[in-house]
Amino acid sequence: MADSELATRAPESDAQDTNTPSSSGSPALASAPTNPPMTEHCTSDRPLPTGQSSTGELTKLNDIDVYISKPADYPHTPSRLLLLLTGGTGLHSVNNQIQADRFASEGYVVVMPDLFGGDPAPNSRLTAAEIGETSATMGAAGAGGGPSSSSLLDVFKVKALETAKTFLIDMWLARHTEEKVMPILEKVLEGARDEFADAVSHGSGVYAVGYCFGARYVLLLAAERPARPGQQQRQGRDEEANRSATVPPQIKAGALAHATLVSKGDFVGLKAPLSVVCVEDDPVFPDEVRIAGEEYMSENGVEHEVQVYPGVPHGEC
């Protein structure tokens, strides 16, 4: 992959260069909740530096909207193909596009697909209409209160807004499940292998990096897994074992940073080498999930590295 600073810095947050990784142990793999919450880092972009903009292009690949960024000297100089999977801010986030451009400057042809079909995650700030509606409701509830009603009302408003944000995120997550996202990735990979066959050949496969929401899909693409119903017809049946055919890893190697929505079971079947970057005590990528994943990779001979940064929140490693 590209240098560690580039690969681990979240597009939607500033890096904390003074943090150092810590080590951890490895308990047994077990089940875990599959839908932990997302934080505001998952749905908000940081302000762009003045005058900075993206340089790639928005186009379609196998009928999927993608952002493509290429090295300046491509195709005259051989490059490798990198699939960049975003957090909830999605395809049109300029931060995400600039991150793709930075990978391109390191010698990768970068394909960044729209994982959400034009429906990025709700921003961490509610819309003006939603805030106004909530405030009006809270104002009516607090009318006629005593001397402390104003301060209590303020607390109530904050809690109501937080609840509204969580509700919007939950509704959004329900629209963008594995069953919706994986077919998008399969189409993009099929198109990319055809369109950029030279880059795939030069790298002996496709590389992938994922942030936040997209990080889980790096895990899924790095694993050998049972074929989905739509794939079984193409893959055939394993009659001898009387089970569905499996799909081999779709990437050569992957990296994931500040993952969310990952369960311990998502590590099962991993084959491709992985680099995992995360923070300590992350509520959306709990230590128990990470540690169980480390143990699984160690026990099953999966080449991997794990960096854990203490003292920073999710999204700022």
Side-chain angles (χ1 to χ4, degrees):
M1 304 297 291
D3 65 74
S4 59
E5 180 186 6
L6 175 61
T8 63
R9 181 171 295 178
E12 65 271 23
S13 66
D14 292 320
Q16 300 287 330
D17 295 332
T18 59
N19 297 311
T20 55
S22 67
S23 59
S24 62
S26 300
L29 191 69
S31 62
T34 56
N35 290 302
M38 297 175 73
T39 73
E40 291 195 3
H41 287 290
C42 306
T43 59
S44 301
D45 279 324
R46 69 180 186 270
L48 287 171
T50 302
Q52 190 169 1
S53 61
S54 56
T55 58
E57 63 171 336
L58 290 165
T59 183
K60 285 186 180 290
L61 193 60
N62 207 4
D63 294 325
I64 302 296
D65 288 331
V66 296
Y67 178 83
I68 294 178
S69 190
K70 307 171 187 176
D73 51 0
Y74 176 80
H76 303 293
T77 300
S79 302
R80 290 178 286 181
L81 183 67
L82 178 69
L83 183 69
L84 195 162
L85 306 182
T86 71
T89 51
L91 182 71
H92 294 282
S93 160
V94 179
N95 283 282
N96 292 336
Q97 294 175 3
I98 290 173
Q99 186 78 353
D101 296 342
R102 294 179 65 198
F103 279 114
S105 71
E106 296 289 331
Y108 290 92
V109 174
V110 183
V111 175
M112 185 173 76
D114 181 1
L115 302 177
F116 314 120
D119 176 34
N123 192 269
S124 62
R125 295 180 182 275
L126 295 176
T127 66
E130 290 164 333
I131 291 174
E133 181 179 346
T134 304
S135 298
T137 302
M138 297 305 100
S148 62
S149 62
S150 178
S151 59
L152 290 174
L153 179 59
D154 288 341
V155 172
F156 191 37
K157 285 181 178 180
V158 169
K159 294 297 183 182
L161 290 173
E162 289 175 351
T163 300
K165 293 175 187 178
T166 300
F167 175 77
L168 290 174
I169 291 294
D170 287 346
M171 292 293 290
W172 178 80
L173 288 172
R175 297 196 297 273
H176 301 292
T177 61
E178 179 181 336
E179 291 72 24
K180 297 287 186 66
V181 175
M182 286 302 291
I184 292 173
L185 292 177
E186 289 161 8
K187 292 187 69 173
V188 168
L189 282 167
E190 182 181 9
R193 291 187 180 109
D194 181 52
E195 181 75 17
F196 303 109
D198 57 330
V200 175
S201 176
H202 179 67
S204 301
V206 178
Y207 296 79
V209 60
Y211 297 93
C212 196
F213 182 98
R216 176 174 184 255
Y217 290 90
V218 172
L219 285 175
L220 300 185
L221 293 173
E224 179 181 82
R225 297 186 177 274
R228 295 187 305 101
Q231 295 173 305
Q232 290 178 6
Q233 294 180 355
R234 298 193 299 271
Q235 297 290 334
R237 300 283 293 185
D238 185 344
E239 296 180 358
E240 181 179 352
N242 193 30
R243 59 182 176 82
S244 299
T246 57
V247 177
Q250 299 298 294
I251 59 174
K252 182 176 177 63
L256 49 148
H258 63 97
T260 188
L261 304 171
V262 172
S263 72
K264 297 175 185 178
D266 289 332
F267 290 90
V268 175
L270 281 175
K271 301 291 184 183
L274 281 180
S275 175
V276 181
V277 176
C278 48
V279 301
E280 207 168 46
D281 301 320
D282 188 342
V284 298
F285 187 44
D287 291 348
E288 62 177 299
V289 174
R290 168 181 54 79
I291 293 170
E294 288 183 69
E295 182 182 68
Y296 179 88
M297 291 187 285
S298 296
E299 290 180 349
N300 290 274
V302 180
E303 183 181 351
H304 67 280
E305 63 176 12
V306 179
Q307 294 177 304
V308 183
Y309 290 82
V312 290
H314 176 86
E316 294 191 5
C317 50

